[in-house]
Amino acid sequence: MAKRDYYEVLGVERGASEAELKKAYRRLAMKHHPDRNPDDKASEDKFKEANEAYEVLSDAGKRAAYDQYGHAGVDPSMGGAAGAGFGGANFSDIFGDVFSDFFGGGRGGSRGGAQRGSDLRYTLELDLEEAVRGATVTIRVPTLVNCKVCEGSGAKKGTSPVTCTTCGGIGQVRMQQGFFSVQQTCPRCHGSGKMITDPCGSCHGHGRVEEHKTLSVKVPAGVDTGDRIRLSGEGEAGAMGGPAGDLYVVVNVREHAIFQRDGKHLYCEVPISFADAALGGELEVPTLDGRVKLRIPEGTQTGKLFRLRGKGVAPVRGGGAGDLMCRVAVETPVNLSRRQRELLDEFRQTLEGDSSHSPKASGWFEGVKRFFGDL
Ligand SMILES: [Zn+2]
Ligand SMILES: [Zn+2]
């Protein structure tokens, strides 16, 4: 059967643009798609015919050969340019590939042009004081920026990138076997649709160069580990004139010698003497705003928490400041003098046989007694 003219198949003028071809092909392919016309031989033939016509006309080289020599210029059986090995694949497999590529639309708009630059991440180490009060920090970030010599085009000054001859600027090439074809990213231009014949010497044709840039980051008061500060447009430069990505500064708060932080609350441990714990007294405890006095009542046990309201952290997302929790730890006295030993020994004798001074110990001995009694 004689082949119809490819332009006639797609219903376009001979001078049709790439966009017009694509539109016409898409319309026909949707209409005659075998999934929509099961067991309809006429539709299947029309579909294959449209596929073949578009495969040739969407390729600048094949289209030129077709315009000059007609079907003979592109028919693989006539020794033309078309046809890459694709033996034995089954119809529906290839079909799925063609369509997911062609109608999927999930390419992020990257085909044939501008690409947004990547987002970058920078880990910012802060002291607890900086995180709590806020700070302005200078950071140096390695990043790709547009090459100043070629203004990001990648082409030598005075030249510009030309349309890729392999894919005709589409960024995709079609592998063809008979009626079936599969699209893939053009191996020559890697999908950009453009070729640089005379690369810029400064960036070797990449259009972007690596540079360190210095940025001043305003860290708001109250940030915590894991918080992110987004610096819009400070990421990598885009390719082919695309917009720059963003820079995410991720906060990591260093461990503090005195305070542990849990959200908006701070914790610290305060050692107290055995005598202060027993008699009560006044302690000096550290806060982020300086020292404050803390009254300890008599009979304070080790491990007791004292809450200092509002001496924690004001969270970055708002809300009142948290509290500072001071955990007292009774310290056993060491390096005792003879006199101190005598006093303590005397003291110990006064305790003998009287459990009322040791609430914990008496409770504990009661428990032990019950435990052995139950055995
Ligand atoms: Zn350059
Ligand atoms: Zn290409």
Side-chain angles (χ1 to χ4, degrees):
M1 165 180 115
K3 278 187 179 172
R4 287 165 72 205
D5 177 75
Y6 287 150
Y7 292 99
E8 192 187 310
V9 168
L10 294 180
V12 295
E13 301 288 324
R14 289 194 83 79
S17 68
E18 277 170 24
E20 286 166 337
L21 285 171
K22 190 182 276 189
K23 197 172 153 206
Y25 167 65
R26 197 173 286 206
R27 192 177 49 77
L28 285 171
M30 294 295 245
K31 186 176 169 193
H32 298 299
H33 193 302
D35 283 357
R36 291 189 167 187
N37 307 277
D39 304 322
D40 181 345
K41 183 81 176 82
S43 271
E44 193 183 314
D45 288 343
K46 284 216 169 70
F47 176 77
K48 291 172 181 171
E49 198 182 22
N51 232 4
E52 186 184 331
Y54 182 68
E55 196 276 331
V56 169
L57 297 185
S58 62
D59 180 303
K62 290 180 191 169
R63 184 175 178 179
Y66 178 75
D67 286 347
Q68 200 167 356
Y69 305 109
H71 290 294
V74 292
D75 188 339
S77 62
M78 306 290 280
F86 212 95
N90 101 16
F91 184 89
S92 62
D93 278 351
I94 302 168
F95 209 71
D97 287 347
V98 171
F99 274 74
S100 58
D101 240 13
F102 208 83
F103 297 107
R107 294 274 147 152
S110 65
R111 185 178 300 170
Q115 273 177 12
R116 185 176 176 277
S118 302
D119 291 336
L120 296 177
R121 177 196 162 101
Y122 181 91
T123 303
L124 178 62
E125 299 270 352
L126 292 175
D127 290 331
L128 179 64
E129 290 90 336
E130 294 175 308
V132 168
R133 298 200 181 104
T136 301
V137 189
T138 303
I139 59 173
R140 252 166 76 79
V141 211
T143 185
L144 287 173
V145 298
N146 270 331
C147 171
K148 287 181 187 69
V149 178
C150 62
E151 290 165 339
S153 77
K156 197 172 186 164
K157 213 172 166 61
T159 70
S160 47
V162 296
T163 301
C164 174
T165 50
T166 301
C167 64
I170 292 169
Q172 304 273 308
V173 288
R174 300 170 68 83
M175 306 264 285
Q176 171 88 12
Q177 161 88 20
F179 308 120
F180 315 125
S181 64
V182 175
Q183 271 198 339
Q184 44 181 231
T185 301
C186 173
R188 183 164 206 175
C189 64
H190 306 291
S192 71
K194 298 237 177 351
M195 265 180 359
I196 291 158
T197 46
D198 214 353
C200 164
S202 176
C203 63
H204 308 288
H206 297 298
R208 299 182 291 178
V209 287
E210 191 172 312
E211 240 182 39
H212 278 82
K213 61 178 172 184
T214 305
L215 294 169
S216 180
V217 183
K218 257 188 88 74
V219 179
V223 292
D224 205 348
T225 294
D227 283 340
R228 303 195 307 177
I229 300 160
R230 178 165 159 259
L231 300 180
S232 176
E234 298 290 0
E236 271 183 18
M240 299 291 189
D246 298 332
L247 173 66
Y248 287 92
V249 176
V250 183
V251 172
N252 187 41
V253 182
R254 291 191 195 98
E255 293 222 348
H256 193 274
I258 300 172
F259 300 108
Q260 292 91 49
R261 179 174 177 183
D262 182 14
K264 61 179 183 173
H265 299 308
L266 293 176
Y267 291 82
C268 73
E269 194 174 83
V270 184
I272 61 170
S273 74
F274 159 74
D276 279 342
L279 302 174
E282 207 173 50
L283 297 178
E284 270 206 333
V285 297
T287 74
L288 286 174
D289 307 318
R291 293 168 186 277
V292 297
K293 298 239 186 284
L294 176 64
R295 284 211 59 79
I296 302 288
E298 63 173 72
T300 293
Q301 298 295 344
T302 194
K304 183 159 176 64
L305 274 181
F306 292 94
R307 181 187 292 260
L308 298 175
R309 292 204 183 276
K311 294 292 184 190
V313 182
V316 68
R317 288 166 193 84
D323 306 327
L324 169 62
M325 250 72 82
C326 295
R327 183 186 299 276
V328 295
V330 174
E331 193 165 46
T332 305
V334 296
N335 296 325
L336 300 178
S337 67
R338 176 191 289 255
R339 168 88 179 120
Q340 287 165 328
R341 284 177 177 279
E342 283 168 9
L343 284 170
L344 271 180
D345 191 44
E346 206 176 307
F347 174 69
R348 178 161 62 187
Q349 288 170 32
T350 69
L351 294 177
E352 264 163 30
D354 184 353
S355 65
S356 69
H357 306 298
S358 322
K360 255 193 194 157
S362 50
W364 186 78
F365 283 120
E366 281 302 309
V368 171
K369 229 157 79 186
R370 268 198 305 277
F371 174 66
F372 284 113
D374 287 350
L375 277 178

